[in-house]
Amino acid sequence: MTVFQIEYLAFAVVAAAMVAFVGFQLAPADPGGAVPPKRAWSWAGGGVVAVLVDLGMLQDLLGLHEGPPDAGRAGAVFIGVLCAGFCALFAYALDRDAERGPRWRTAAGTFTTAVGALDVVMHMVT
């Protein structure tokens, strides 16, 4: 493994830990106002899985397994990830009736789906 790949892996671990904390905090409460621990940990685990899947697809998109990416490929991936972010923001805006936690889960699922579609398209083109 190169130093860049090790740094990327360390970034993935830190990002997953941060999202686990946020997912734990965003878990919806019961009508009484308490969040069951099982639900909170489920949301934390779901966030970790989503981040690791997204970062794994990003690693594949950039071709980091072959070394540092070239500028053209990195620019195309950046534009694609930006579009995926806009799709997630649009999904978040459309889900107005849900509480904060489920809205973020919808946005995260949309982002992961859009990055997956970008991965498929990039592999078809290159």
Side-chain angles (χ1 to χ4, degrees):
M1 288 182 79
T2 66
V3 173
F4 187 67
Q5 290 170 331
I6 293 170
E7 289 172 347
Y8 189 83
L9 182 62
F11 168 72
V13 169
V14 171
M18 289 173 32
V19 169
F21 175 75
V22 171
F24 193 88
Q25 299 298 319
L26 286 176
D30 283 340
V35 178
K38 191 174 185 178
R39 183 180 306 147
W41 283 111
S42 170
W43 277 64
V48 168
V49 169
V51 164
L52 292 179
V53 166
D54 289 339
L55 290 176
M57 284 190 288
L58 186 62
Q59 180 181 5
D60 183 50
L61 283 167
L62 290 172
L64 296 180
H65 51 280
E66 299 169 358
D70 62 345
R73 187 173 184 95
V77 170
F78 174 76
I79 291 171
V81 170
L82 189 66
C83 290
F86 282 126
C87 289
L89 181 64
F90 188 64
Y92 182 84
L94 285 178
D95 200 10
R96 290 186 196 127
D97 296 334
E99 295 176 10
R100 183 179 66 167
R103 285 180 79 182
W104 279 110
R105 183 172 263 190
T106 300
T110 304
F111 182 80
T112 300
T113 303
V115 171
L118 174 66
D119 197 12
V120 169
V121 169
M122 287 289 287
H123 281 292
M124 289 173 58
V125 172
T126 57

